[in-house]
Amino acid sequence: MPELPEVETYRRYFEATSLYQPISDVYVEDKKLLTTDYDTLNQQLKNHQFIGTKRVGKNLFAQLDAPYWLHLHFGMTGDLAYFKDDEDTPRFARIIFKFANGFKLGFLCPRKFERIGIVEDIEEYLSRKKINKDALEITVEELSKNLNKKNAPVKSVLLDQSTVAGIGNWIVDEVLYQAKIHPEKKANQLTENEILEIHKCMRFVIQTAINSQANYDDFPENFLIHARGWGRAGLQDIRADKCATCGAKISISKVGGRTTYFCANRQRI
Ligand SMILES: [Zn+2]
C-alpha cells in the first residue's frame, strides 16, 4: 500500500513532470474513482494548470491556478506515469490528464481504490476527515499532547490518522523497534523521553524511506523491516526472522487487529 514515503515520491514526480502546463482535457474511464462529478471536475481543470503540490500523510494535493486543489488518494496500489504517445499509455491509467503540449499524466488505478476530486479548503478537508498533522511536520509537543490523551496501545494510537498523518503498519513497527518501545505499551503511560524517541525515530524512519525512494532492500541492515520478508529472495533468507541488533527471534503478534513485528528482548513494556 502506498504510504507516506511512496506518496512523497509521487509528489516529487508530479512536481517534476506536470506543473505549469495548460490542461487540455481529462479522461476518466470509471466515474466511481471521482469524488467530484465529472462535468464539474473537467470544467475546473480544463484550461487551468497545476502550480504546486502539498502532501499531508498519504494525501496528495495539487494546487491549480484557481482557488482550489486537486486531491489524489492512492488507495492500495495507485501510481503516476507521465508519457506522451498513446501507445505508451500504461495499463490501468484509468484517469489521464492531457496537457496542451501533448504530454499526459496517467493516474494508475489497478484495483480501483484510488480517488481524485476537487478540494477547496485543505484545512477544512483534513479536519472533516480527522487527519492530523503530517508525520514530518508535527512537533514533539503536538505529538505528546495527542499520545497523552489515549489509554490504548501506542501502536494503535500512532496508526490513527487523527494522532499523526502518514504512519502505516510497517512504519509504526519500525519506529517502535528503533525507539525500543513495546507496541502494546499504553500511549498515556509513555514517558517524556519515550515520546522524544518516537518523534525522532519517526522522522528518521520516514526520511530513510524517502531517501531510498521506498526501496526496502536499500534500508539499513538494522531495520526491522527486513524481518517482514519483503526483500529479494536470498536477502530474506540471510536476514531471516532474527533481530539484527540482539539476535533474538522476532515476535509476531496482533495489536489492534494488525500484524505486528517486534523484538521482545529490545522492546519492553
Ligand atoms: Zn533484539
Side-chain angles (χ1 to χ4, degrees):
M1 177 186 284
E3 296 204 21
L4 191 162
E6 284 88 352
V7 178
E8 176 60 19
T9 303
Y10 301 156
R11 187 191 71 75
R12 293 176 184 186
Y13 182 82
F14 192 106
E15 286 232 333
T17 58
S18 302
L19 299 189
Y20 307 113
Q21 308 168 54
I23 301 162
S24 56
D25 200 12
V26 183
Y27 161 83
V28 177
E29 180 198 284
D30 186 342
K31 297 196 168 73
K32 196 183 89 179
L33 299 164
L34 304 180
T35 55
T36 299
D37 75 88
Y38 176 75
D39 290 337
T40 308
L41 180 86
N42 200 31
Q43 183 221 325
Q44 291 193 288
L45 294 181
K46 219 167 170 173
N47 300 322
H48 287 283
Q49 38 185 299
F50 298 115
I51 58 169
T53 59
K54 180 178 169 65
R55 183 192 53 70
V56 181
K58 304 172 202 175
N59 297 275
L60 177 60
F61 299 92
Q63 186 176 18
L64 285 134
D65 57 348
Y68 45 79
W69 302 68
L70 179 72
H71 172 231
L72 300 94
H73 196 278
F74 294 87
M76 308 282 283
T77 45
D79 203 348
L80 296 173
Y82 189 72
F83 61 99
K84 186 165 191 195
D85 300 325
D86 283 340
E87 59 262 36
D88 294 332
T89 305
R91 212 174 154 208
F92 306 124
R94 302 191 202 275
I95 296 176
I96 300 174
F97 305 97
K98 299 180 181 177
F99 299 110
N101 63 5
F103 281 85
K104 305 168 183 94
L105 178 69
F107 185 40
L108 281 48
C109 312
R111 293 179 59 187
K112 299 195 182 182
F113 289 121
E114 300 75 9
R115 291 291 179 269
I116 69 162
I118 298 291
V119 166
E120 281 171 18
D121 182 339
I122 294 182
E123 292 310 318
E124 184 277 328
Y125 176 85
L126 295 173
S127 114
R128 182 158 43 87
K129 295 284 179 180
K130 297 191 167 59
I131 299 171
N132 210 302
K133 289 244 174 99
D134 185 76
L136 290 179
E137 289 187 0
I138 196 166
T139 64
V140 68
E141 291 78 18
E142 290 164 329
L143 183 67
S144 176
K145 199 178 105 213
N146 296 348
L147 288 171
N148 279 335
K149 58 188 181 198
K150 302 267 179 70
N151 180 31
V154 58
K155 165 154 184 176
S156 308
V157 177
L158 284 170
L159 279 176
D160 182 346
Q161 303 296 296
S162 73
T163 304
V164 54
I167 305 288
N169 199 41
W170 81 259
I171 296 180
V172 71
D173 283 0
E174 191 68 59
V175 168
L176 294 174
Y177 173 80
Q178 300 291 338
K180 300 185 186 173
I181 294 166
H182 195 285
E184 288 182 79
K185 177 152 186 168
K186 292 281 167 57
N188 60 3
Q189 287 170 10
L190 293 164
T191 65
E192 210 172 301
N193 264 339
E194 286 175 323
I195 293 174
L196 270 173
E197 272 305 296
I198 290 176
H199 187 259
K200 193 180 81 185
C201 294
M202 186 169 76
R203 298 181 64 86
F204 169 65
V205 167
I206 290 171
Q207 213 57 67
T208 301
I210 292 172
N211 292 347
S212 68
Q213 297 189 317
N215 291 317
Y216 307 116
D217 281 334
D218 298 338
F219 288 8
E221 288 288 326
N222 67 347
F223 265 41
L224 175 70
I225 196 169
H226 301 300
R228 301 188 97 92
W230 291 352
R232 294 180 292 255
L235 266 185
Q236 188 181 325
D237 295 341
I238 296 162
R239 286 156 174 172
D241 53 358
K242 300 256 188 315
C243 170
T245 318
C246 75
K249 190 171 158 46
I250 292 296
S251 306
I252 304 174
S253 68
K254 293 265 184 196
V255 179
R258 306 295 302 273
T259 301
T260 299
Y261 287 67
F262 67 101
C263 172
N265 187 36
R266 175 186 172 87
Q267 296 166 260
R268 305 284 173 89
I269 288 209

